[in-house]
Amino acid sequence: QVQLVESGGGSVQAGGSLRLSCAASGYTYSWYCMGWFRQAPGKEREGVAAIFSGGGNTIYADSVKGRFTISRDNAKNTLYLQMNSLKPEDTAMYYCARSLSSSLSLWNVAPAYDYWGQGTQVTVSS
């Protein structure tokens, strides 16, 4: 079965950093574009960042651009999200997900992703 397992979440103060990881298994990881989403209480799930299968091209939400970096290690079947200069508004459950799109035209649309991890909680205090 396809499995995505996030880790690395936690509680930090504003201005701190966290690195999230997503371990993928059950499919040919390098063939797929991947994305990170987050969902805060009372809000809909939103796209944070996405990365092409080869890892050379990335897309970011305006709210995290310049602070977050998405990357992947295809040899390790692992997706990463480096989060720096964290703000209280970054507090959310963070999910990694798999997309079939090769262009990522729907990179920030949740229904365009077919498999999801269980999520890892990120809490940023002021």
Side-chain angles (χ1 to χ4, degrees), residues 81-109:
L81 185 68
Q82 178 66 47
M83 305 185 296
N84 299 326
S85 301
L86 283 162
K87 304 175 181 179
E89 50 263 47
D90 295 319
T91 296
M93 185 73 75
Y94 283 72
Y95 302 88
C96 67
R98 186 184 82 169
S99 175
L100 291 175
S101 174
S102 61
S103 68
L104 291 180
S105 60
L106 301 175
W107 73 272
N108 61 346
V109 180

Side-chain angles (χ1 to χ4, degrees), residues 42-104:
K43 294 191 175 183
E44 202 164 58
R45 193 167 299 188
E46 64 173 344
V48 176
I51 188 167
F52 285 85
S53 59
N57 292 302
T58 56
I59 305 171
Y60 298 92
D62 289 341
S63 59
V64 307
K65 194 172 298 182
R67 299 187 297 120
F68 291 10
T69 302
I70 188 172
S71 62
R72 65 191 297 162
D73 187 336
N74 285 344
K76 296 181 178 179
N77 287 5
T78 303
L79 180 72
Y80 302 98
L81 185 68
Q82 178 66 47
M83 305 185 296
N84 299 326
S85 301
L86 283 162
K87 304 175 181 179
E89 50 263 47
D90 295 319
T91 296
M93 185 73 75
Y94 283 72
Y95 302 88
C96 67
R98 186 184 82 169
S99 175
L100 291 175
S101 174
S102 61
S103 68
L104 291 180

Side-chain angles (χ1 to χ4, degrees), residues 1-49:
Q1 310 95 328
V2 174
Q3 187 174 36
L4 302 173
V5 181
E6 302 96 335
S7 62
S11 182
V12 299
Q13 293 182 329
S17 298
L18 286 172
R19 191 193 194 198
L20 307 184
S21 298
C22 173
S25 61
Y27 69 100
T28 305
Y29 174 73
S30 62
W31 290 1
Y32 292 86
C33 299
M34 300 289 294
W36 285 99
F37 284 73
R38 66 186 182 187
Q39 188 166 22
K43 294 191 175 183
E44 202 164 58
R45 193 167 299 188
E46 64 173 344
V48 176

